[in-house]
Amino acid sequence: MNRLAPIGRTPLATLPTPLLPAPALADAVASGMDISVKADAWTGLGLGGNKVRKLEYELDPAGLRGVTDLVTAGGPHSNHCRVTAAAAARLGLGCTLVINGEPTDAGRGNALLHRLLGARIVTVAEREEREAAMAEEAGRIRAAGGRALVVPVGASTPRGALGYVHAAAEMHEQVSAGSGPVWIFTSSSSGGTLAGLILGCALLRWRVQLVGVSPDDPAAKVHRAATEIALAAAPLLPPPPPHGPDPRAEDLVQRVRDVAAATLVTDAFVGPGYGVATRAAEQATRLFGARAGVILDPVYTAKAAAAMIAWAREGRLPPGAHVIFLHTGGHPALFR
Ligand SMILES: Cc1ncc(COP(=O)(O)O)c(C=O)c1O
């Protein structure tokens, strides 16, 4: 997309990811449905997922100059930590992961992958200790003559969100003209992915209904985070050409507010808690597997898929809707 082109980006992902039609899944969900899966589980680096796109913009080449190490933080099975460690390895940098909590299963899932990707693991007891520990590790690296770049948890920063502006542009191009009203369902937690979609749709003037499905936090918190990140990301885009076809193009911030206000976020599918299985998520996983050959992860995408299926069957989607299910990855959680 033209407005993104001048922004520094380190290519890490295999793009564009495919938009896969899923007709048999659609038939099984509800009659008259049209479902496609945007396969961001296949962004490539370090087993892929949504974090790869975010890191492409978070790790811009100017910010990486002179950097010797990446430092970030997350839980013992963090997808973000896995992909950051993979990015460091790809870029020839060291990686320190501040992990809150000792995994009981360090030889499995993302905990195993953090180690296989060569990251140095520093364990703290509580989430609240992570920021201080990251600063301490950056200081330790500096004292040893290196230079650390601290990547915020989840890369859900305004820069990181630009990765999903890019994804929105891909989907806009991939959706055939004349398809029904487009609804995009995505898992949304720290809000960076949804923020990028909000900004991307505002920028493209693409009339899409966005739905964020929380795997953990209350819907209002997720909605607020996504809105704030989208608004903070909008000024990162260069201004439109002065004599471009759209003299009103600078109402972008207002359009972001409008798209954000229309965006729906639900926390009705969290169940007993983060990472805890629900019946609806298990059924969604079986349906996606058996009717689309698409494997969901149990923590994020299975719950987002459960929401999509429930809303379709409850008649909450308009007739003829084209549903895009954004598969944000997370597969290693299947193997814990
Ligand atoms: C697999 C997967 N899907 C979705 C999300 C949510 O994305 P975001 O934090 O950008 O809202 C995450 C974040 O951890 C994730 O790992």
Side-chain angles (χ1 to χ4, degrees):
M1 178 199 293
N2 286 347
R3 295 279 292 278
L4 275 180
I7 298 177
R9 162 177 171 237
T10 297
L12 296 169
T14 307
L15 300 179
T17 56
L19 184 68
L20 306 166
L25 173 66
D27 283 348
V29 169
S31 70
M33 290 276 298
D34 180 5
I35 300 177
S36 305
V37 177
K38 176 66 172 169
D40 269 17
W42 302 353
T43 49
L45 180 72
L47 294 185
N50 61 340
K51 309 301 177 193
V52 186
R53 286 190 193 265
K54 293 176 173 189
L55 284 180
E56 286 201 331
Y57 286 93
E58 187 60 31
L59 302 177
D60 77 297
L64 280 176
R65 227 165 276 140
V67 166
T68 59
D69 291 78
L70 302 182
V71 176
T72 198
H77 284 282
S78 160
N79 292 313
H80 164 71
C81 284
R82 162 177 47 89
V83 175
T84 304
R90 168 84 66 88
L91 299 170
L93 305 173
C95 183
T96 300
L97 300 176
V98 172
I99 301 289
N100 56 287
E102 210 53 84
T104 50
D105 44 6
R108 302 173 71 83
N110 277 323
L112 168 65
L113 297 173
H114 296 162
R115 289 157 177 82
L116 291 183
L117 289 162
R120 196 176 145 263
I121 313 277
V122 173
T123 306
V124 294
E126 305 292 338
R127 288 167 76 103
E128 293 66 32
E129 295 170 49
R130 297 190 304 203
E131 290 297 324
M134 284 196 289
E136 199 174 303
E137 289 306 314
R140 191 191 56 74
I141 290 163
R142 206 178 313 116
R147 185 156 152 215
L149 180 72
V150 175
V151 180
V153 176
S156 277
T157 60
R159 274 202 75 89
L162 296 180
Y164 273 88
V165 176
H166 196 130
E170 278 177 24
M171 288 188 273
H172 186 243
E173 235 179 86
Q174 288 168 324
V175 168
S176 44
S179 80
V182 176
W183 283 53
I184 301 179
F185 281 79
T186 181
S187 174
S188 183
S189 177
S190 58
T193 301
L194 187 57
L197 295 178
I198 290 171
L199 176 55
C201 290
L203 195 60
L204 294 158
R205 297 175 185 274
W206 190 20
R207 293 190 157 279
V208 166
Q209 178 61 60
L210 298 172
V211 184
V213 184
S214 172
D216 42 22
D217 284 331
K221 182 175 173 196
V222 174
H223 191 274
R224 198 176 326 113
T227 304
E228 282 170 9
I229 297 168
L231 285 168
L236 298 177
L237 296 168
H243 305 297
D246 179 7
R248 295 172 300 111
E250 271 328 281
D251 60 6
L252 178 62
V253 168
Q254 187 52 48
R255 295 207 302 275
V256 169
R257 285 189 204 286
D258 294 345
V259 176
T263 293
L264 301 171
V265 178
T266 175
D267 54 16
F269 296 84
V270 175
Y274 175 75
V276 183
T278 64
R279 234 176 104 79
E282 283 172 0
Q283 284 169 349
T285 303
R286 274 196 289 276
L287 205 61
F288 268 64
R291 302 299 295 246
V294 169
I295 308 291
L296 301 177
D297 87 291
V299 180
Y300 297 94
T301 54
K303 289 181 179 177
M308 184 203 78
I309 293 166
W311 284 27
R313 289 182 173 164
E314 287 162 14
R316 292 186 64 173
L317 311 184
H322 178 178
V323 175
I324 298 178
F325 180 79
L326 174 59
H327 192 321
T328 47
H331 285 141
L334 281 167
F335 305 106
R336 292 176 50 172

